[in-house]
PDB file of all heavy atoms in Angstrom:
ATOM      1  N   CYS A 618      10.816 -25.206   3.422  1.00 75.00           N
ATOM      2  CA  CYS A 618       9.673 -26.018   3.028  1.00 75.00           C
ATOM      3  C   CYS A 618       9.223 -26.893   4.190  1.00 75.00           C
ATOM      4  O   CYS A 618       9.867 -26.923   5.240  1.00 75.00           O
ATOM      5  CB  CYS A 618      10.054 -26.892   1.832  1.00 75.00           C
ATOM      6  SG  CYS A 618      11.264 -28.161   2.248  1.00 75.00           S
ATOM      7  N   HIS A 620       9.618 -29.879   4.641  1.00 75.00           N
ATOM      8  CA  HIS A 620      10.578 -30.933   4.944  1.00 75.00           C
ATOM      9  C   HIS A 620      11.786 -30.407   5.720  1.00 75.00           C
ATOM     10  O   HIS A 620      12.679 -31.171   6.067  1.00 75.00           O
ATOM     11  CB  HIS A 620      11.059 -31.603   3.652  1.00 75.00           C
ATOM     12  CG  HIS A 620       9.948 -31.936   2.711  1.00 75.00           C
ATOM     13  ND1 HIS A 620       9.657 -31.174   1.602  1.00 75.00           N
ATOM     14  CD2 HIS A 620       9.034 -32.941   2.726  1.00 75.00           C
ATOM     15  CE1 HIS A 620       8.636 -31.691   0.955  1.00 75.00           C
ATOM     16  NE2 HIS A 620       8.220 -32.761   1.614  1.00 75.00           N
ATOM     17  N   CYS A 668      15.832 -28.427  -1.462  1.00 78.00           N
ATOM     18  CA  CYS A 668      15.246 -29.642  -0.888  1.00 78.00           C
ATOM     19  C   CYS A 668      14.921 -30.613  -2.018  1.00 78.00           C
ATOM     20  O   CYS A 668      14.168 -30.281  -2.944  1.00 78.00           O
ATOM     21  CB  CYS A 668      13.984 -29.288  -0.104  1.00 78.00           C
ATOM     22  SG  CYS A 668      13.063 -30.719   0.480  1.00 78.00           S
ATOM     23  N   THR A 669      15.468 -31.825  -1.938  1.00 80.00           N
ATOM     24  CA  THR A 669      15.231 -32.830  -2.978  1.00 80.00           C
ATOM     25  C   THR A 669      13.786 -33.298  -2.977  1.00 80.00           C
ATOM     26  O   THR A 669      13.231 -33.644  -4.022  1.00 80.00           O
ATOM     27  CB  THR A 669      16.168 -34.034  -2.780  1.00 80.00           C
ATOM     28  OG1 THR A 669      15.986 -34.554  -1.454  1.00 80.00           O
ATOM     29  CG2 THR A 669      17.623 -33.608  -2.956  1.00 80.00           C
ATOM     30  N   PHE A 670      13.138 -33.323  -1.810  1.00 83.00           N
ATOM     31  CA  PHE A 670      11.732 -33.724  -1.745  1.00 83.00           C
ATOM     32  C   PHE A 670      10.857 -32.732  -2.506  1.00 83.00           C
ATOM     33  O   PHE A 670       9.952 -33.123  -3.252  1.00 83.00           O
ATOM     34  CB  PHE A 670      11.274 -33.826  -0.290  1.00 83.00           C
ATOM     35  CG  PHE A 670      11.931 -34.934   0.481  1.00 83.00           C
ATOM     36  CD1 PHE A 670      12.956 -34.665   1.362  1.00 83.00           C
ATOM     37  CD2 PHE A 670      11.528 -36.253   0.318  1.00 83.00           C
ATOM     38  CE1 PHE A 670      13.570 -35.674   2.079  1.00 83.00           C
ATOM     39  CE2 PHE A 670      12.126 -37.266   1.030  1.00 83.00           C
ATOM     40  CZ  PHE A 670      13.154 -36.981   1.917  1.00 83.00           C
ATOM     41  N   CYS A 671      11.126 -31.453  -2.296  1.00 80.00           N
ATOM     42  CA  CYS A 671      10.344 -30.429  -2.991  1.00 80.00           C
ATOM     43  C   CYS A 671      10.578 -30.481  -4.497  1.00 80.00           C
ATOM     44  O   CYS A 671       9.663 -30.243  -5.291  1.00 80.00           O
ATOM     45  CB  CYS A 671      10.696 -29.038  -2.460  1.00 80.00           C
ATOM     46  SG  CYS A 671       9.971 -28.650  -0.852  1.00 80.00           S
ATOM     47  N   GLU A 672      11.813 -30.776  -4.888  1.00 81.00           N
ATOM     48  CA  GLU A 672      12.108 -30.883  -6.304  1.00 81.00           C
ATOM     49  C   GLU A 672      11.280 -31.993  -6.943  1.00 81.00           C
ATOM     50  O   GLU A 672      10.742 -31.832  -8.045  1.00 81.00           O
ATOM     51  CB  GLU A 672      13.605 -31.143  -6.507  1.00 81.00           C
ATOM     52  CG  GLU A 672      14.486 -29.960  -6.141  1.00 81.00           C
ATOM     53  CD  GLU A 672      15.960 -30.292  -6.244  1.00 81.00           C
ATOM     54  OE1 GLU A 672      16.283 -31.446  -6.617  1.00 81.00           O
ATOM     55  OE2 GLU A 672      16.790 -29.413  -5.956  1.00 81.00           O
ATOM     56  N   GLN A 673      11.169 -33.136  -6.240  1.00 85.00           N
ATOM     57  CA  GLN A 673      10.385 -34.239  -6.755  1.00 85.00           C
ATOM     58  C   GLN A 673       8.905 -33.899  -6.804  1.00 85.00           C
ATOM     59  O   GLN A 673       8.196 -34.196  -7.779  1.00 85.00           O
ATOM     60  CB  GLN A 673      10.607 -35.490  -5.896  1.00 85.00           C
ATOM     61  CG  GLN A 673       9.840 -36.723  -6.344  1.00 85.00           C
ATOM     62  CD  GLN A 673      10.232 -37.180  -7.741  1.00 85.00           C
ATOM     63  OE1 GLN A 673      11.358 -36.925  -8.190  1.00 85.00           O
ATOM     64  NE2 GLN A 673       9.314 -37.840  -8.427  1.00 85.00           N
ATOM     65  N   GLU A 674       8.408 -33.252  -5.758  1.00 84.00           N
ATOM     66  CA  GLU A 674       6.996 -32.865  -5.721  1.00 84.00           C
ATOM     67  C   GLU A 674       6.671 -31.863  -6.815  1.00 84.00           C
ATOM     68  O   GLU A 674       5.587 -31.903  -7.411  1.00 84.00           O
ATOM     69  CB  GLU A 674       6.656 -32.291  -4.341  1.00 84.00           C
ATOM     70  CG  GLU A 674       6.635 -33.345  -3.242  1.00 84.00           C
ATOM     71  CD  GLU A 674       6.493 -32.717  -1.875  1.00 84.00           C
ATOM     72  OE1 GLU A 674       6.489 -31.473  -1.787  1.00 84.00           O
ATOM     73  OE2 GLU A 674       6.391 -33.468  -0.893  1.00 84.00           O
ATOM     74  N   GLU A 675       7.611 -30.952  -7.080  1.00 84.00           N
ATOM     75  CA  GLU A 675       7.376 -29.968  -8.125  1.00 84.00           C
ATOM     76  C   GLU A 675       7.320 -30.631  -9.498  1.00 84.00           C
ATOM     77  O   GLU A 675       6.527 -30.241 -10.362  1.00 84.00           O
ATOM     78  CB  GLU A 675       8.471 -28.906  -8.094  1.00 84.00           C
ATOM     79  CG  GLU A 675       8.296 -27.776  -9.095  1.00 84.00           C
ATOM     80  CD  GLU A 675       7.018 -26.997  -8.902  1.00 84.00           C
ATOM     81  OE1 GLU A 675       6.519 -26.952  -7.753  1.00 84.00           O
ATOM     82  OE2 GLU A 675       6.499 -26.448  -9.893  1.00 84.00           O
TER      83      GLU A 675
END
Side-chain angles (χ1 to χ4, degrees):
C618 68
H620 314 102
C668 173
T669 56
F670 293 102
C671 284
E672 291 175 1
Q673 180 62 26
E674 289 172 356
E675 183 60 27

